[in-house]
Amino acid sequence: MTELDETDVDILRLLMEDSRRSFRGIAEEVDRSPPTVSNRVERLRELGIIRRFTLELDRTLLSDADETLVVVESHPADAEEVLSRLESEEGVEHVFRTVESRVVAKTMRSPSEIHALLRSVLEGLELRNYRVESVLDSSWQPQLEAGDFDVQCSVCGNAVSGEGETVEVESGDLYHVCCASCAEKISAQYESLAESTGE
C-alpha cells in the first residue's frame, strides 16, 4: 500500500522527534508490534519519504568555528552546479537552491575562509554576486503538515492512491507512480536517457 495512514504519520513524527528511538519503543507508542514498525519504516525508506537517519550536533560547542551563511546569486544555468560544489565541501552543513537561482549554504567556517572557499570552489562559474553573513542563532525543526500525507506520482504529480506502482530502473533508483501508463513512461524515459548517454 502506497498511501500513508495515521500509523505511518505517527511513526514519522516520533522519528522526527528522536531518530534514535528503537522500533520497540515506537511500537509501544503506536500500538503495533516491533516487526510491523520495522516493515513500515522500511517501506517509508523505499518510498523516499525517509532518506536517512542523522544526528543534529551543536557544532559551536565542539569548535571555535563560526556559523556562517553564504548567499550566492548565480546565473540560472550554473545554479545546480553551485549547489553541487558547495554541498560536497567540508564544513558546509545545509545547502538550498531557490527558483531565483540563488544558492544559500550554512557553513562552519569563518567569513575569511568563506571568501577563499568561494574563489576556489566556484571558479569558472558565472556568479552575479555573493554575500557572507555571520549567524547569531539557528533552529532546525522539520514538521509534518496536514497536506503532507499524499505520495505524489513521479511522472504526472497526481496523488498515488491504493497500491500504485513502484518502478525500479537499472540504476537501482525507485520511482513511485500512480498507474501502469506512468510506469511505462518512466521506464521509457530511463531507457532513452541511458541510450543517449551510451550506457
Side-chain angles (χ1 to χ4, degrees), residues 74-198:
S74 67
H75 188 276
D78 289 335
E80 191 172 344
E81 182 64 19
V82 170
L83 181 139
S84 177
R85 291 187 188 185
L86 282 174
E87 71 184 354
S88 64
E89 279 297 307
E90 186 177 334
V92 175
E93 294 191 338
H94 298 289
V95 186
F96 306 91
R97 179 169 59 113
T98 72
V99 293
E100 293 85 8
S101 302
R102 188 175 297 123
V103 177
V104 181
K106 179 184 165 200
T107 74
M108 295 300 297
R109 294 191 177 199
S110 69
S112 61
E113 291 177 312
I114 292 298
H115 292 293
L117 168 80
L118 290 175
R119 279 195 300 276
S120 64
V121 170
L122 302 179
E123 185 178 355
L125 298 179
E126 188 175 335
L127 304 182
R128 294 177 173 156
N129 194 11
Y130 75 86
R131 68 181 187 276
V132 179
E133 302 175 11
S134 292
V135 175
L136 290 178
D137 291 303
S138 65
S139 176
W140 182 258
Q141 298 177 356
Q143 312 227 345
L144 286 177
E145 300 296 332
D148 288 344
F149 309 133
D150 290 330
V151 177
Q152 292 187 329
C153 176
S154 300
V155 175
C156 68
N158 290 333
V160 178
S161 59
E163 291 296 321
E165 294 198 23
T166 300
V167 180
E168 183 174 1
V169 295
E170 283 185 33
S171 66
D173 292 333
L174 293 176
Y175 295 91
H176 306 287
V177 296
C178 60
C179 61
S181 174
C182 285
E184 289 176 15
K185 286 180 185 174
I186 201 77
S187 296
Q189 287 174 358
Y190 182 82
E191 288 171 13
S192 173
L193 183 61
E195 286 174 12
S196 68
T197 57

Side-chain angles (χ1 to χ4, degrees), residues 49-75:
I49 294 169
I50 295 176
R51 291 191 290 187
R52 60 185 175 144
F53 297 95
T54 187
L55 181 67
E56 183 180 354
L57 298 174
D58 185 346
R59 298 275 298 272
T60 61
L61 297 176
L62 300 174
S63 73
D64 293 333
D66 298 322
E67 282 187 301
T68 308
L69 270 189
V70 179
V71 182
V72 179
E73 310 265 351
S74 67
H75 188 276

